[in-house]
Structure formats: structure tokens, C-alpha cells
């Protein structure tokens, strides 16, 4: 059995946060948005500090509806492989640079 680590990121925005500290496999992402505006969770295979929103192309962009909207992305074992590290940002468009309103949360299950 493979151990699974649960990571919760709170109030994602254009500043971004690192999901993992290095190479990893993500088994599932779950996002919830309690703000009044729709958001997109952008995921990158780079450290948060190496991403330029609006220029760096996200590996995945997850739409999350406003006011308790949620989105789930499950992956078959061994999961989605991130070679460098996984970082996440919440923005107002799928590949934009404007940060979303406060209230976007991301939970990741890492193997």
C-alpha cells in the first residue's frame, strides 16, 4: 500500500502556493470556492516563485463555480506525475493573471 499525504491550501490567489516540495504523484485534486465569483485553479509543474501568470502555460486549469462550487480531478494510480513540484494559483480566467476573490481552497492527495 502506498502512503497518501493530504495537503490543504487555503485562500488561493495570484500569489500561488506550492502543493509539494519536489517530485511527486498527485492522486486527486479537490477544489471548493466559497467566494461570490467563479474561479479557475491553475496547476503548474514548477515552484510557485517560477510561475509568471498569464505567460507560463498551466499544466491543468480547473474551473470552480462561485458560491460553494466544487471541482474534483481524480487520476488513476500512480497519479499525475509532477517532475519539479506542483504549485497552484486561483485566478479569474483559465490562463489569466488576475487573482480570484478570497475563498478558493484546494485539497491534494499526494502519493
Amino acid at each position: 500500500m502506498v502512503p497518501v499525504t493530504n495537503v490543504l491550501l487555503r485562500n488561493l490567489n495570484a500569489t500561488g502556493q506550492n502543493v509539494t516540495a519536489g517530485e511527486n504523484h498527485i492522486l486527486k485534486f479537490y477544489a471548493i470556492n466559497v467566494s461570490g465569483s467563479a474561479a479557475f485553479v491553475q496547476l503548474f509543474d514548477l515552484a510557485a516563485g517560477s510561475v509568471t501568470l498569464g505567460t507560463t502555460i498551466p499544466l491543468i486549469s480547473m474551473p470552480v463555480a462561485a458560491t460553494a462550487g466544487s471541482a474534483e480531478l481524480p487520476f488513476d494510480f500512480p497519479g499525475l506525475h509532477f517532475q519539479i513540484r506542483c504549485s497552484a494559483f486561483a485566478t479569474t480566467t483559465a490562463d489569466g493573471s488576475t487573482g480570484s476573490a478570497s475563498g478558493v481552497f484546494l485539497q491534494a492527495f499526494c502519493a
Side-chain angles (χ1 to χ4, degrees), residues 35-62:
S35 78
S37 301
F40 291 83
V41 174
Q42 295 186 44
L43 302 165
F44 297 87
D45 189 6
L46 291 168
S50 299
V51 172
T52 302
L53 286 176
T55 301
T56 308
I57 298 170
L59 183 62
I60 297 170
S61 187
M62 295 172 51

Side-chain angles (χ1 to χ4, degrees), residues 20 22-28 77-82 109-111:
T20 64
E23 184 176 12
N24 214 310
H25 289 85
I26 306 292
L27 299 171
K28 179 170 46 172
F77 185 80
L80 182 62
H81 182 222
F82 287 81
F109 299 88
C110 313

Side-chain angles (χ1 to χ4, degrees), residues 32-106:
I32 189 163
N33 180 6
V34 298
S35 78
S37 301
F40 291 83
V41 174
Q42 295 186 44
L43 302 165
F44 297 87
D45 189 6
L46 291 168
S50 299
V51 172
T52 302
L53 286 176
T55 301
T56 308
I57 298 170
L59 183 62
I60 297 170
S61 187
M62 295 172 51
V64 190
T67 316
S70 64
E72 183 177 5
L73 272 178
F75 301 101
D76 290 334
F77 185 80
L80 182 62
H81 182 222
F82 287 81
Q83 294 179 327
I84 300 168
R85 77 173 40 173
C86 177
S87 62
F89 298 76
T91 56
T92 57
T93 59
D95 59 357
S97 60
T98 302
S100 67
S102 181
V104 178
F105 301 85
L106 180 69

